[in-house]
Amino acid sequence: MAELAGVSRSVASRVLNNAPHVSRAKREAVERAVHQLGYVPHPTARALATRQTGAAALVVSGEDPSIFADPFFAQVIVGASAALEDADLHLMLCLAASDRGRRRVEQLLRSKGADGVMLMALREDDPLARMAEEAEIPVVFGGRPVGLDPRWYVDVDNLGGARAATEHLISLGRTRVATICGRLDTEVGRARYRGYQDAMLAAGLEPCPPEAGDFTEPSGAAAMAVLLARHPDLDGVFAANDNMGAGALRTLRDAGRRVPADVAVIGFDDLAVARIADPPLTTVHQPIEGLGREMARMLVALVNGQNPTPLILPTRLVTRASA
């Protein structure tokens, strides 16, 4: 093939492995030779030659395998898969909550069982964070972990989005605004709570102590019941994601509270559940599929020897009937 293309074997190898620093003319010559010869790289031979596996792993620190069917993670997977397909990398999904699951991930990181790893949903003092720091393969964080300053990550503007949601409630004349925050052992939970606090304090209002959920609909319903008992006069609620916002709507409806006449409610994420809620849920849109796509693109850049910079994706308020 190299002879037909008129290039050296090393240049042909770099083109076949999509390596940088090959001139356009030589790349096109090799591609023509590949087409003429009908050449198809053998995966095993390619892995031996490049010391690459042709796979990237998405690791989620969760306890339930059905988490990958959650609309949020499903969209992340769609975005990551598309970007990896463009780079000819396969996507591996790994769940790492149990000791056994974490050992599998640790082995993956140490044995270079993948070309790179994307880590998501890390909690405070999560062992996966330490493993990532010691890994010999590239690691990209989806969202920043608590207490760490990783070199490579993709995140969304959680603080700014939560602040905008709370400011919107205040602009509607709501002065007794409570929040259903996410897990406070995660950076996303903390950042969205800080955004709520910032908006309340800037308006001269006293933030309510948060009632935490775990980002699920039942936890939002339970948290809303606690908030109603604690603050029966509340007139606004910011829920740190749409699932919990939908749960809050259910509890308010069962309690005879009208939304938004009595209590205005805003969520975060802009999932399908927000559009079909009763009433449809005002929410903060974040580019979830874009989060997965940019994580994968950053990982591909690292695999190819580049040095990308961290990325913060923007959010925006989507107003519907609930607020």
Side-chain angles (χ1 to χ4, degrees), residues 27 251 256:
R27 188 175 297 277
T251 295

Side-chain angles (χ1 to χ4, degrees), residues 172-186:
L172 297 175
R174 311 302 167 119
T175 58
R176 298 176 299 279
V177 180
T179 182
I180 301 173
C181 67
R183 299 183 60 112
L184 292 178
D185 59 354
T186 65

Side-chain angles (χ1 to χ4, degrees), residues 3-215:
E3 184 177 352
L4 179 60
V7 300
S8 67
R9 293 179 63 182
S10 62
V11 168
S13 176
R14 289 203 299 274
V15 172
L16 291 174
N17 292 300
N18 200 31
H21 311 307
V22 178
S23 71
R24 181 177 179 179
K26 290 181 178 179
R27 188 175 297 277
E28 289 176 349
V30 173
E31 289 171 350
R32 283 195 299 270
V34 167
H35 179 73
Q36 291 178 32
L37 296 173
Y39 173 76
V40 178
H42 190 280
T44 302
R46 180 177 179 179
L48 289 172
T50 64
R51 294 189 178 181
Q52 293 182 351
T53 66
L58 174 62
V59 177
V60 176
S61 182
E63 299 172 355
D64 185 354
S66 66
I67 193 171
F68 289 120
D70 180 281
F72 176 87
F73 285 104
Q75 290 187 45
V76 169
I77 291 169
V78 168
S81 295
L84 293 175
E85 185 176 349
D86 289 342
D88 199 25
L89 287 172
H90 299 293
L91 177 62
M92 302 165 52
L93 301 178
C94 302
L95 194 66
S98 66
D99 289 341
R100 182 179 179 184
R102 283 189 287 267
R103 284 195 298 270
R104 284 199 302 267
V105 173
E106 186 170 20
Q107 183 178 6
L108 179 74
L109 293 168
R110 289 182 173 177
S111 66
K112 300 183 181 180
D115 294 336
V117 169
M118 297 168 282
L119 285 180
M120 295 194 72
L122 297 192
R123 300 175 187 173
E124 189 174 17
D125 299 324
D126 197 313
L128 290 179
R130 174 189 55 78
M131 296 178 195
E133 289 186 318
E134 299 172 356
E136 298 183 13
I137 58 177
V139 177
V140 172
F141 288 83
R144 286 161 287 184
V146 174
L148 287 180
D149 185 21
R151 188 173 179 183
W152 297 294
Y153 63 84
V154 181
D155 205 350
V156 299
D157 185 11
N158 291 298
L159 188 147
R163 184 172 55 231
T166 309
E167 287 172 348
H168 181 70
L169 289 169
I170 295 169
S171 74
L172 297 175
R174 311 302 167 119
T175 58
R176 298 176 299 279
V177 180
T179 182
I180 301 173
C181 67
R183 299 183 60 112
L184 292 178
D185 59 354
T186 65
E187 180 58 31
V188 63
R190 294 184 181 187
R192 292 180 188 180
Y193 177 53
R194 288 197 303 270
Y196 158 80
Q197 286 181 305
D198 289 352
M200 293 290 285
L201 293 172
L205 300 172
E206 183 68 26
C208 293
E211 187 61 30
D214 62 4
F215 297 112

